[in-house]
Amino acid sequence: MDCNEFKREMTSLFDADVDKALAAELKEHLLTCSACSADFYEMEEVVECLNPRYLPSAPVLLKQNIINHLSKEKQPMKNKTTRTFRLNSTIKKVAAIAAVLVAVIIAIPLLHKGNESLVGEAKAGNSLLESSIKATGLIKNMVMKLRVRTLPNDNFALVGTEYDMVEHTISKSFEKPEKWRIDKGGRVVVCDGKQQLMWIPMANGVYKGSLDAGFVEWFRILLDPESVLRKEQTGITDKTSEVRMAEKDGEIHMTVTSKAQGNFINDYSKNRSINESDNRREYVFSSQTKLIKSLKIYVLEGSKETLILETESIDYNVPISPSTFALALPKGAEVTDLAAVQNIKSETFSTISSKRAAEIIFDSMAKNRWDAVKVPFAQYNFLLMKLIKRKCSGLKVVKIGEPFKSGLYPGEYVPCEVVLRDGYTRKICLALRNDNENKVWLVDGGL
Ligand SMILES: [Zn+2]
C-alpha cells in the first residue's frame, strides 16, 4: 500500500466491519510510515472532538451524521454507495443495542401483577426476586465494578457489540440523601445529594446539573438494583421473559431470556431498519443473603451472542470514603451550569418553531455572527465552541428540511444540508430541544 492509497482508505479503520485484509494493510502502512501516521492521528483527534458525544445529552442516533460527515469530508472521491452502506450497518447495530437497553433496563414497571398463575421455574424465580428485593431494601451502600462494551469518552448510554470492554465503577450510598458516583475513565458523574456534576477530561469541562439530570442515562437504573429486580419480576409475571433457575454451592443462578421491545419505531428509525434484538441476563444471587452477586447481559443476534455487560464484583455495606461523593474541580476546568441553562430566557428562540431556530442558527454561522447564537449554544463550553466556529464559520445553507421527532429523544431533529468552507456538502441533522423552563430552543448535538 502506498501513501495515496492509505490516505484514501484510512477512515476505514474507524469502521467496525472493515474488511480484515484492508485493515491489515492499513495498519502495516501506519506502522512503517511516519507521515501517514501523523495524518491519521490528527484525523482521529479531529473526529474525537467533532463528536457531539462530548455533550451531556447527545442522542445516540446522531452518531450517524458524524460518521457520514466524516466519510464525505475525508473521502470525497470514494464511491459513496458502498461506504454509506457499511457505515449504516455499524450505526444500526449501535442504535439497535441502545434501544434494547433502553427497553430492557430503563423501563421501571408501574404495576406489579400477582403470581397466581405462575408455575415451576417462573414461580421460583418470582419468589427469589421478591426476597431479593426485600434484602436489597436493607443495604446501606454498594460498590459495583463492571465492564461494558462502549467507548471510555462517550455517553454512558452508548453500548455496542463492536466495542471493547471498558471498566466502570459505581459507588452508591442509599442513606438519605442518596449519593453516588459513576466513573468510566473518560467521564465521571458524581451526585453529592444536592446536585450532579459531570467531569469530561477531554473537553476540560464540568457540567453541573440537578438531582435528576440525565448525565448517566440508563446507567441510572444500575444505581438502583431494586428497580432492576422489579423489572425482571414484571417480565416473569407478564410471561414476556423465560426464566431458568439452578442452585449450587450457596449460589442461585437465574437466567432470564426475552425479546426486546424497541422504542425506536417512528419513521426516522424505520428508515434505518432498526431491529429488535433478543437478550439474556444471567444473575447469580447469594443463597444466604439473596443479594445479587453478579450480572451478565448478552445480546443475541441470530446464532451469535455477545456479552455486553458484566459485573466484576458487587460489594455491599463496605466503607466508602466521603470524598468519593465529591468532585474536586480540576485545574482550569470550565464549569457549565445546566440549571442556568434550564432557566435561560430568549424572546427570539422561544417563540418560533425548531425549523425557524435552525434557520437563524445557520444564517448566523454563515454571517459569522456568533453573538446572535449565544443562547442556543448555551450548553457548549469554550472549547467546544472553538471547534464549532472553526468548522462552521462562513458555511452556506443549501436546504433546511422538516423537523421530526425520534425515539426517546425529547427534542426535535432538523435535517439540513450545508456547504462548509472547504467546499464539500454536508447533511447535518441538528438536534434541538426546548424542554426547559421558557421553551427556548437549544442546540443539543448534530454539528
Ligand atoms: Zn504513507
Side-chain angles (χ1 to χ4, degrees):
M1 177 170 285
D2 64 23
C3 294
N4 283 336
E5 254 178 282
F6 179 85
K7 289 199 173 79
R8 206 166 54 235
E9 295 289 347
M10 68 180 176
T11 55
S12 304
L13 287 173
F14 292 98
D15 276 359
D17 38 8
V18 57
D19 179 70
K20 286 216 170 69
L22 175 65
E25 277 187 64
L26 285 164
K27 281 178 188 158
E28 199 188 297
H29 188 86
L30 192 62
L31 286 174
T32 53
C33 175
S34 58
C36 285
S37 66
D39 268 11
F40 177 78
Y41 292 117
E42 190 194 11
M43 186 185 73
E44 196 177 45
E45 220 169 279
V46 170
V47 173
E48 291 295 309
C49 289
L50 288 178
N51 271 329
R53 63 190 190 214
Y54 296 110
L55 274 184
S57 44
V60 175
L61 285 176
L62 289 185
K63 285 182 143 312
Q64 171 88 42
N65 303 298
I66 300 147
I67 298 183
N68 279 349
H69 149 83
L70 171 75
S71 69
K72 277 179 204 130
E73 180 170 62
K74 296 293 171 187
Q75 299 203 316
M77 310 303 284
K78 188 158 172 158
N79 178 321
K80 269 184 197 145
T81 333
T82 40
R83 177 137 202 104
T84 310
F85 174 72
R86 275 159 64 198
L87 288 163
N88 273 349
S89 67
T90 308
I91 289 301
K92 221 156 59 187
K93 225 186 306 169
V94 174
I97 288 154
V100 168
L101 286 167
V102 167
V104 171
I105 302 183
I106 213 166
I108 300 169
L110 298 171
L111 287 169
H112 173 51
K113 292 183 191 161
N115 62 349
E116 297 78 14
S117 67
L118 296 177
V119 290
E121 285 176 292
K123 194 165 188 172
N126 190 51
S127 72
L128 167 64
L129 287 166
E130 196 61 55
S131 324
S132 188
I133 288 166
K134 283 203 190 99
T136 306
L138 298 173
I139 55 179
K140 287 196 171 65
N141 71 46
M142 156 187 101
V143 177
M144 186 191 291
K145 290 194 188 295
L146 64 157
R147 283 188 288 261
V148 181
R149 285 198 193 278
T150 181
L151 297 168
N153 296 310
D154 211 308
N155 283 349
F156 282 92
L158 178 81
V159 178
T161 49
E162 69 274 40
Y163 299 126
D164 290 332
M165 287 288 190
V166 174
E167 305 274 336
H168 292 59
T169 304
I170 297 177
S171 313
K172 167 88 188 261
S173 163
F174 293 90
E175 286 169 294
K176 306 279 174 207
E178 294 191 345
K179 295 172 184 171
W180 49 268
R181 178 190 192 98
I182 305 184
D183 189 336
K184 68 181 284 194
R187 284 191 180 203
V188 182
V189 179
V190 169
C191 175
D192 60 7
K194 295 186 207 95
Q195 62 180 0
Q196 287 185 44
L197 291 167
M198 174 159 68
W199 159 233
I200 305 180
M202 200 110 177
N204 198 23
V206 172
Y207 286 88
K208 208 198 260 188
S210 64
L211 280 179
D212 39 57
F215 296 155
V216 297
E217 300 152 290
W218 63 258
F219 260 77
R220 191 144 188 159
I221 197 161
L222 295 178
L223 289 167
D224 190 11
E226 211 177 306
S227 304
V228 177
L229 297 166
R230 286 195 192 283
K231 174 69 188 161
E232 294 295 12
Q233 212 176 18
T234 304
I236 292 175
T237 51
D238 278 356
K239 300 186 174 133
T240 49
S241 313
E242 220 186 273
V243 68
R244 288 278 164 271
M245 309 268 295
E247 190 162 4
K248 59 179 175 197
D249 308 328
E251 290 179 339
I252 308 169
H253 293 246
M254 185 171 89
T255 304
V256 192
T257 310
S258 48
K259 303 239 182 257
Q261 283 138 27
N263 289 302
F264 293 75
I265 47 169
N266 64 16
D267 291 345
Y268 186 53
S269 313
K270 267 183 197 154
N271 288 342
R272 279 156 185 76
S273 344
I274 291 170
N275 296 316
E276 299 173 350
S277 298
D278 295 355
N279 61 88
R280 187 176 76 234
R281 285 89 68 203
E282 293 179 359
Y283 292 89
V284 176
F285 295 87
S286 152
S287 303
Q288 198 198 343
T289 64
K290 302 290 187 292
L291 294 170
I292 302 175
K293 284 179 82 174
S294 71
L295 166 63
K296 289 179 182 174
I297 301 178
Y298 293 84
V299 162
L300 316 172
E301 297 164 294
S303 61
K304 195 183 156 217
E305 56 175 67
T306 313
L307 179 65
I308 53 164
L309 181 152
E310 129 181 87
T311 58
E312 281 174 57
S313 62
I314 309 177
D315 294 309
Y316 300 100
N317 300 331
V318 287
I320 301 178
S321 157
S323 65
T324 305
F325 304 119
L327 187 75
L329 284 193
K331 209 178 163 200
E334 192 187 348
V335 181
T336 307
D337 187 351
L338 292 185
V341 172
Q342 264 323 97
N343 293 318
I344 201 161
K345 288 189 181 75
S346 161
E347 180 84 25
T348 315
F349 287 98
S350 62
T351 52
I352 52 177
S353 67
S354 59
K355 185 179 181 178
R356 182 69 196 124
E359 279 167 10
I360 297 175
I361 291 164
F362 282 112
D363 186 56
S364 305
M365 293 198 283
K367 293 176 179 148
N368 256 322
R369 289 177 45 212
W370 292 94
D371 276 355
V373 287
K374 268 199 176 141
V375 167
F377 281 109
Q379 296 189 89
Y380 286 62
N381 75 9
F382 176 76
L383 190 78
L384 292 165
M385 234 26 240
K386 225 164 109 172
L387 287 162
I388 295 216
K389 282 179 188 172
R390 200 160 71 195
K391 185 180 161 207
C392 298
S393 283
L395 58 76
K396 284 196 189 72
V397 180
V398 179
K399 201 174 117 193
I400 294 186
E402 289 310 311
F404 61 90
K405 290 180 82 73
S406 177
L408 301 170
Y409 184 56
E412 294 181 10
Y413 297 94
V414 188
C416 310
E417 212 175 305
V418 297
V419 180
L420 297 191
R421 276 180 308 177
D422 59 14
Y424 291 116
T425 304
R426 311 284 156 72
K427 284 204 171 92
I428 287 171
C429 215
L430 195 67
L432 290 168
R433 65 196 293 171
N434 70 342
D435 54 338
N436 48 59
E437 209 114 303
N438 304 307
K439 303 225 168 301
V440 176
W441 290 110
L442 300 174
V443 178
D444 203 24
L447 287 171

